[in-house]
Amino acid sequence: MGVKTMLPSYELGFYALAVTCAVVYSGSEIFQASRDSMNKKAFRDGIKPGWHYFGRKMDVADFEWVMWFTSFRNVIIFTLSGHVLFGKICSMTLPQHRAVVYMLYGILAVQGSMGLVYLMIILSHCLVLYSVALAKQKWLCYVAGLCCLASFKVEPFSSWQSGFVTGAFDLQDVLFYGGSGFTIMRCMSFALESCEKKEGIYSVFDLLKYNFYLPFFFFGPVMTFDQYHAQVSTRELRRKDDEMRNIRVHALLHVGAIIAVDIFFHFFYILTLPTDLKFMNRLSDWSLAGLAYSNLVYDWVKAAVMFGVINTIARLDHLEPPQPPKCITMLYVFAETPLSLAFRYVYDHIGENHDNIMKELMATIATFAVTTLWLGPCEIVYIWSVFNCFGLNFELWVQKFFQQEPFAKLEAKMSEAMSRRIRALFGAANFWAIVLYNILALNSLEFAMLVTKRLLLTGFPVSTLSIWFVTYCGVQLIKERERILAIEEETCDKAKVE
């Protein structure tokens, strides 16, 4: 049935009311639990002094977030401001050489932050993968790239390389593995795009310009080489109408998000609470469901802020960077979960149209094998990969099953509105499968098992069905937003044709 199927406004209003009441109820219980546990000894490491004048402490369990906006805030602002300043000067005077300026500034910034030895390690991997790219054999590029990636993710090679980097600061490991991992992915993109080039090959200088673009270096996102090379080689730099206004609006939104997260962590200890399972056992089913959901929302906000800051700088450099990952609130389909570069070069390449069961199985296994290596092989990552791989395939199996008789005939006889309601019921179940499968990687296996047990076993039938119903209401609101966006997109397309 079409995505443009409309439901009555009173029905959508009821769904919105149900979701609002559920969020308020669950949030109030998490707030109460946070207030009661503020001075518990078990949470001493995760909850630190915050707003003394409000009598509130702060959840500091995510050390990366805390470091970004405390100890390293000024360094980050200074470094990125320098990039924007030099890039702007070059864009105004020598736009044809701006990629060289970005590269030189990036190399100096990497050397200044991580040292000369780290820079030499990165350059050596770039040269190795460039040499492999000269053969123009895709399978060889994949093998060499994955071997280089494994050297940063698998012991003892990982410790051996990191041992060369001297010095010690709080974010050193994060920057080391972030920069090296993204470097390998960029080099693989370069090698694979070189294989597609019919005549000749890109130069090693093109690879270095691509890899050492500072905003993307440590934390991504990975813009594929063909896109970056085409955009950065443009000599006529022109802004679209209202582009600067949009950039300023997006920058202010991300500043607002940072402030909102800081405020949120003073009242809701969503990261620290799940570390004490005994305390979790005393909370209601709605509180546990809210904690699981809010952990995933926070992870998306963290990624969106990081992507947003980086993308804002990239847009100031006249680039069109990849969009941030889709919000978990809008996800009720496994196929829309973000897997970055692996999607283009592995998942879409093997799975093609994603309507063949065997090809989809091979594509998902290959994709999650690469993703497992990217995240770093360990027990929790293996479990996360297996569950998400199963979810992606099971989704297709269910779809194919209900396309068979007599289900196809039954749906054809239904109204489009009724078909949308039934599909939303399955989408609600899928939504919680995505939440539970991904909370494994974001929190812990024990917490994921506790939430699953409470929602499916001990909470059945009251908590299970009520949470499922509220999620169904949420999925219907998501579908309504998708319907409106589809209509707006169709209207824009018609206007362009006319």
Side-chain angles (χ1 to χ4, degrees):
M1 296 293 177
V3 73
K4 298 174 189 174
T5 305
M6 187 177 180
L7 294 180
S9 56
Y10 64 84
E11 183 177 343
L12 294 171
F14 172 74
Y15 292 153
L17 178 64
V19 171
T20 302
C21 292
V23 169
V24 170
Y25 175 70
S26 179
S28 63
E29 290 205 346
I30 296 174
F31 172 76
Q32 184 64 42
S34 300
R35 187 171 61 180
D36 294 343
S37 63
M38 191 163 47
N39 297 311
K40 282 176 65 71
K41 290 183 179 180
F43 299 144
R44 192 162 39 196
D45 294 333
I47 300 176
K48 299 292 184 182
W51 293 341
H52 298 288
Y53 37 90
F54 282 125
R56 301 297 306 182
K57 293 185 177 181
M58 182 180 180
D59 191 337
V60 294
D62 187 348
F63 85 97
E64 284 184 27
W65 181 274
V66 174
M67 290 295 104
W68 288 346
F69 300 107
T70 54
S71 306
F72 289 88
R73 178 184 56 204
N74 294 336
V75 175
I76 293 171
I77 293 174
F78 177 79
T79 305
L80 294 180
S81 298
H83 170 88
V84 173
L85 177 62
F86 285 111
K88 184 63 176 177
I89 293 172
C90 186
S91 297
M92 294 172 63
T93 56
L94 297 169
Q96 67 272 25
H97 298 303
R98 61 194 181 108
V100 179
V101 174
Y102 297 152
M103 178 194 71
L104 293 175
Y105 187 86
I107 289 174
L108 291 174
V110 171
Q111 180 182 346
S113 59
M114 296 296 292
L116 182 61
V117 176
Y118 177 75
L119 180 61
M120 292 298 104
I121 292 173
I122 294 297
L123 287 172
S124 65
H125 281 277
C126 289
L127 291 175
V128 167
L129 289 173
Y130 177 77
S131 301
V132 172
L134 295 175
K136 285 200 168 188
Q137 297 292 326
K138 283 189 175 182
W139 69 269
L140 192 59
C141 295
Y142 278 115
V143 171
L146 294 177
C147 286
C148 287
L149 184 60
S151 71
F152 286 109
K153 300 293 183 177
V154 179
E155 297 294 347
F157 309 105
S158 174
S159 298
W160 177 69
Q161 290 188 95
S162 62
F164 288 110
V165 180
T166 57
F169 55 92
D170 292 328
L171 285 178
Q172 179 170 301
D173 286 345
V174 175
L175 296 180
F176 178 89
Y177 291 108
S180 57
F182 278 110
T183 290
I184 301 304
M185 300 302 280
R186 283 188 289 267
C187 288
M188 287 182 67
S189 176
F190 171 85
L192 293 169
E193 294 299 333
S194 295
C195 294
E196 296 291 337
K197 191 175 184 182
K198 295 180 180 179
E199 296 182 2
I201 191 170
Y202 298 105
S203 70
V204 69
F205 199 49
D206 290 326
L207 173 58
L208 296 180
K209 287 188 292 186
Y210 171 51
N211 186 59
F212 286 100
Y213 179 68
L214 182 62
F216 294 165
F217 184 82
F218 287 109
F219 299 109
V222 179
M223 178 188 286
T224 56
F225 175 75
D226 59 328
Q227 294 176 340
Y228 180 82
H229 184 70
Q231 293 178 28
V232 84
S233 300
T234 303
R235 296 191 178 190
E236 295 184 7
L237 304 178
R238 296 179 180 177
R239 297 279 184 196
K240 299 177 183 177
D241 294 340
D242 296 330
E243 184 176 355
M244 283 306 301
R245 185 182 67 85
N246 291 334
I247 291 174
R248 286 193 291 268
V249 169
H250 278 86
L252 290 174
L253 286 174
H254 291 110
V255 171
I258 293 169
I259 296 172
V261 169
D262 191 76
I263 295 172
F264 186 85
F265 278 160
H266 281 85
F267 295 94
F268 299 89
Y269 305 146
I270 60 170
L271 302 180
T272 297
L273 289 178
T275 58
D276 188 348
L277 293 182
K278 290 183 179 179
F279 184 75
M280 288 292 94
N281 274 310
R282 297 201 294 268
L283 299 183
S284 68
D285 297 337
W286 281 91
S287 297
L288 287 176
L291 277 171
Y293 169 71
S294 57
N295 267 257
L296 261 72
V297 171
Y298 164 69
D299 183 70
W300 172 81
V301 170
K302 178 180 174 181
V305 167
M306 183 177 68
F307 271 66
V309 172
I310 292 170
N311 286 7
T312 298
I313 295 169
R315 291 174 69 188
L316 288 173
D317 291 335
H318 298 271
L319 299 177
E320 289 293 334
Q323 294 301 308
K326 192 173 182 179
C327 178
I328 182 63
T329 303
M330 300 296 169
L331 280 178
Y332 59 91
V333 178
F334 272 94
E336 295 181 354
T337 53
L339 289 174
S340 68
L341 203 66
F343 251 105
R344 170 170 177 173
Y345 293 114
V346 181
Y347 184 64
D348 287 339
H349 178 69
I350 299 175
E352 296 178 350
N353 296 326
H354 305 292
D355 57 358
N356 181 282
I357 291 178
M358 288 307 300
K359 285 185 177 180
E360 183 73 0
L361 181 61
M362 292 171 61
T364 51
I365 291 174
T367 301
F368 280 102
V370 174
T371 307
T372 299
L373 184 60
W374 161 253
L375 294 174
C378 63
E379 182 181 4
I380 196 69
V381 173
Y382 294 145
I383 297 172
W384 174 86
S385 293
V386 168
F387 275 109
N388 279 274
C389 184
F390 170 76
L392 205 54
N393 282 280
F394 186 71
E395 198 169 73
L396 180 62
W397 300 342
V398 172
Q399 179 184 338
K400 291 290 185 181
F401 177 75
F402 282 102
Q403 286 176 352
Q404 305 298 317
E405 300 296 343
F407 303 108
K409 281 187 178 180
L410 288 174
E411 186 176 22
K413 293 178 181 178
M414 292 180 189
S415 65
E416 291 190 346
M418 183 57 67
S419 175
R420 170 174 161 171
R421 294 183 185 103
I422 294 174
R423 285 173 179 267
L425 283 172
F426 286 96
N430 221 29
F431 178 90
W432 275 103
I434 294 172
V435 171
L436 295 175
Y437 290 173
N438 286 279
I439 204 69
L440 288 166
L442 299 179
N443 205 288
S444 67
L445 176 61
E446 292 77 14
F447 178 63
M449 290 178 65
L450 174 63
V451 175
T452 304
K453 181 181 177 181
R454 291 283 290 275
L455 293 187
L456 298 182
L457 299 178
T458 58
F460 187 83
V462 177
S463 295
T464 305
L465 296 180
S466 58
I467 291 173
W468 188 12
F469 172 72
V470 169
T471 309
Y472 161 81
C473 296
V475 170
Q476 287 287 20
L477 296 177
I478 298 168
K479 284 180 172 289
E480 182 63 18
R481 181 175 180 272
E482 291 174 345
R483 186 188 71 84
I484 294 171
L485 291 176
I487 293 173
E488 290 177 352
E489 186 177 349
E490 184 181 23
T491 305
C492 291
D493 291 340
K494 287 182 179 178
K496 289 179 182 178
V497 172
E498 293 174 359

